[in-house]
Amino acid sequence: MTKTAIERDFPFEEIDPIADRESWRKEINRPLYHIHKWWANRLGSVFRAIVLGTLQDKSKAVWEGFYEKHNFSKKIVLDPFMGSGTTLGESLKLGAKVIGCDINPVSSFIVRQALQHVEQGDLLKAFKRIEKNVSARIRSYYETVDPATGERCQVLYYFWVKTVITPEGEEIPLFSDMVFSRNAYPSRKPDSQILCPHCWAISVGRFDSEDHTCPSCKKSFNPQLGTTISGHSVASKTGNKYKIGDLVRAQKTAPGHRLYALMVLDPSGNKRYLRAGQHDLDLLKKASEDLHGLKLPLPTLPVRAGNNTDQARSYNYFHWRDFFNDRQLLCLGLLLQEILLIEDRLVRDHFLCLFSGTLEFNNLFCSFKGEGTGAVRHMFSNHILKPERTPLENSVWGVDGKSSGTFSTLFRSRLLKAKEYLDRPFELSADATVPGVDAKIYCNPPIRTKVTRDLQEFEKAPSAALVLNGDSSCLPLPDNYVDAVVTDPPYFDFVHYSELSDFFYAWLSEAVGGEYPEFKRQDSSSPGEVQDKSPKDFARNLGKVFTESARVLKPEGVLVFSFHHSRPEGWLAIYEAILASGLQIAAAHPVKAEMSGGSPKTAAKHPINLDAIIVCKKGGAEKPILEAWDGAVRDYQDYSQRFQAIGRTLSLGDRRVILASQVLKHCSLAARTLGSVEIMLLRVFDEYDF
Ligand SMILES: C[S@@+](CC[C@H](N)C(=O)[O-])C[C@H]1O[C@@H](n2cnc3c(N)ncnc32)[C@H](O)[C@@H]1O
């Protein structure tokens, strides 16, 4: 049987430096997959190489064609776990037709907007109209007066703190320290903003100062000490100590907040900090009153119980609406109401996608990253739903290009950038660090594809993306239909996609629930979602999708996916799923994983920087000569030598990824049982002397 290029080898030596560069600014280097938040996006350059390896003439090495223009218009690539659409975008650039399916309605919605060509002029026209109709009103809720100068200033950010009430009726703010703003590089710029715990005045002091005197009330205090004790408890004035969790639960409603400071832009364009004053409280009151006097499209869905959602629920966040304060609800509601007036459905859906993405930076789970960096730490920085004790309120519309994560800035940095990428899709140069070498290589044709939900339309169009929403264990496709399956399944217990995406779903379902059936539900989850529960459930559901993918895959095609895990159970579940599908693992190659640092990998004891690319076939792969374990160890040693040759140090986590994936390959080729694979995987994780 013929061999595809990816069965023979994968050029990680060449791909890794490009992937590394991409990983530092993924949103700039592949804006197509960052038009909206999605979790665990894979690297476009890695997936370009994978797709090439599955489609390229078998006589050619993958790397040879990396910067060439291709036209695989006769080929169809399927991704049954589409996510943000990385496989789809990369395959379209190579000229192939693509089919993507995701069980999550939010994923399908954003991929449809990402891949669809829209005239930039139409987007600009709609933006101007929204700006004309609502921006002044929204911005009026983000103004203040500097008491020192009497000048009107625009507010960039409001600084809030959560409070708890003790049984004595005392309200205690939850500060872990009193330095509320410091530079991202404090040793270079030590000046920070300090809040006085006595009179709540703000003043400047060193970020590490342990003795500070408030210029307003003249009291001295240690700014490194906050109002909480070891982060878990608070003490009342009477000396009683209470656990924060107990006080929050006793309250029955989401914790209260107190506004203490603002970062403003003064009329000369300078950023300044101000103490929160009466004017700001009055404006907030007005926003609340205005909100209650209007009928705006706001989320009504409850937060269901779940792994991540329970973190929010333990703080009494029982409705998605509770994630926002009244000003945010008002301004977001006004914006959404205006977007819904756009008549052209395609343009409207693009703005809904932008709007939904804006939510991530405009809610009470956001916090301040510090000066000298993108100021807003968005709510999903850790793939979880952790209530924020000191939330940062961003301005929904944005302030004269000076703010980040706002509707007006994301319009340019996300929506327009993604559309520009469709017009001029580029690859990153491997030699970009060499002076005079252009960092971008424009070797791809523009992406002009028909994005459809309908198979007949897909078949008729010369370039087409069939973007489906549903469970990929049951695809509406004929047998032996696609040339390759290239995907990235959920990683067992890493990300709870639908629990997190419910945050966006709650708004989108209000907006388009009447039009798209997948937005008529109570939440974004579905029974077939491949998600942890137990390794057995994960393996069974994944096996169903692999089985279905194998059905629609042509006999000579390959199913390729990326994976890593820090525990043997994760790898065993993968083996079980492949076994169930009747596929065989023909090859396993290491490659750079999606992030350089960042959770959840860095949270693990042994950080993992590699993914394994697992290449599966319907049969006919060459049988190895060595025993499974010996063969796996030999391949592992070959790979470690190759990494050594390029000066790459492998962490223990990386070494385990390589060896575990080779164990899977050799066991699959030798048709080993689950029991014997488990024994070998335990050896990889517990005994093997790396
Ligand atoms: C790891 S993500 C894919 C990320 C993607 N490679 C990217 O770069 O954005 C896995 C995806 O599988 C989806 N999923 C889980 N179970 C599914 C199923 N049964 N059918 C289709 N999609 C499913 C999840 O909603 C999630 O978007």
Side-chain angles (χ1 to χ4, degrees), residues 26-27 31-41 83-85 104 106-111 352-361 378-384 410 414 495 497 500-501 503-505 508 594-595 599:
K26 289 199 286 184
E27 68 291 356
L32 213 47
Y33 322 128
H34 296 274
I35 193 168
H36 186 283
K37 174 74 192 170
W38 201 250
W39 299 268
N41 300 42
S84 64
N104 195 306
V106 179
S107 152
S108 309
F109 184 77
I110 60 184
V111 173
L352 285 177
C353 181
L354 169 67
F355 170 82
S356 176
T358 309
L359 298 170
E360 182 192 352
F361 304 93
H378 62 76
M379 67 182 298
F380 294 116
S381 55
N382 285 317
H383 291 189
I384 53 175
L410 293 172
R414 275 192 173 175
V495 184
Y497 291 93
L500 302 177
S501 66
F503 170 76
F504 301 114
Y505 187 87
L508 287 171
E594 96 275 19
M595 319 182 239
S599 57

Side-chain angles (χ1 to χ4, degrees), residues 33 38-43 47 79-87 101-105 107 470-473 475 487-491 495 497-498 501 526-531 541-542 545 562:
Y33 322 128
W38 201 250
W39 299 268
N41 300 42
R42 295 293 112 179
L43 292 167
F47 272 66
D79 184 352
F81 296 111
M82 176 174 63
S84 64
T86 309
T87 298
C101 181
D102 203 288
I103 202 159
N104 195 306
S107 152
D471 184 349
S472 290
S473 66
L475 292 164
T487 194
D488 171 45
Y491 289 6
V495 184
Y497 291 93
S498 64
S501 66
S526 283
E529 184 174 353
V530 179
Q531 194 29 270
N541 282 341
L542 182 61
V545 176
S562 53

